[in-house]
Amino acid sequence: MLDFKNENSRNRKSELCLSELMIILLCIHLGDFKSFKSYYMFLIKYFKSEFPNLVSYTRIVELKNTCAVPLLLLLEVISASCDGESYIDSIYLAICHIKSEYIHIAFN
C-alpha cells in the first residue's frame, strides 16, 4: 500500500489494525443502520470488548480510505468462486419527490 505523507499531518500509526477495520466496514451492511455514526455508536455500546483499540469516530472515518484497496481485493477473492447463477435484488429507491419526477433533469 502506498503511503502518501502530507507535511501538515502527523502520520501516526493507528491502534486499530487493518483486519479489524475491514471487519467493521463489512459488518455495517449486516445491520439496519441509517448512518455510519449510528453504527459506530452501536459498536461502542455492544462490541467494545471485541475491539479494545477502537479509535474515535473522526479517526475511523479517516482510516476508511486506507483499507479500500485491501477490502476490494478481499471482495474480489470472495466473489471469484461463482457457480454461474446470480440473483439481483432490485428495490425501488426514491430519488426525489414523485411530483418532480418528470421535471428533473436526470430523468430526461
Side-chain angles (χ1 to χ4, degrees), residues 12-80:
R12 276 189 304 183
K13 187 173 190 293
S14 172
E15 295 178 2
L16 192 66
C17 67
L18 182 64
S19 61
E20 290 175 331
L21 184 61
M22 289 170 63
I23 287 172
I24 288 172
L25 293 177
L26 284 173
C27 290
I28 188 173
H29 302 289
L30 298 176
D32 189 26
F33 300 102
K34 295 187 182 226
S35 65
F36 186 72
K37 187 157 191 161
S38 63
Y39 173 64
Y40 179 77
M41 295 301 169
F42 175 77
L43 278 177
I44 287 179
K45 188 172 183 180
Y46 296 107
F47 293 105
K48 183 68 175 171
S49 61
E50 280 77 10
F51 300 103
N53 297 327
L54 192 61
V55 293
S56 67
Y57 173 73
T58 54
R59 182 71 177 139
I60 206 165
V61 169
E62 291 173 359
L63 291 173
K64 280 174 32 173
N65 295 334
T66 62
C67 76
V69 173
L71 191 61
L72 181 66
L73 291 173
L74 174 70
L75 293 175
E76 185 68 30
V77 168
I78 290 172
S79 66

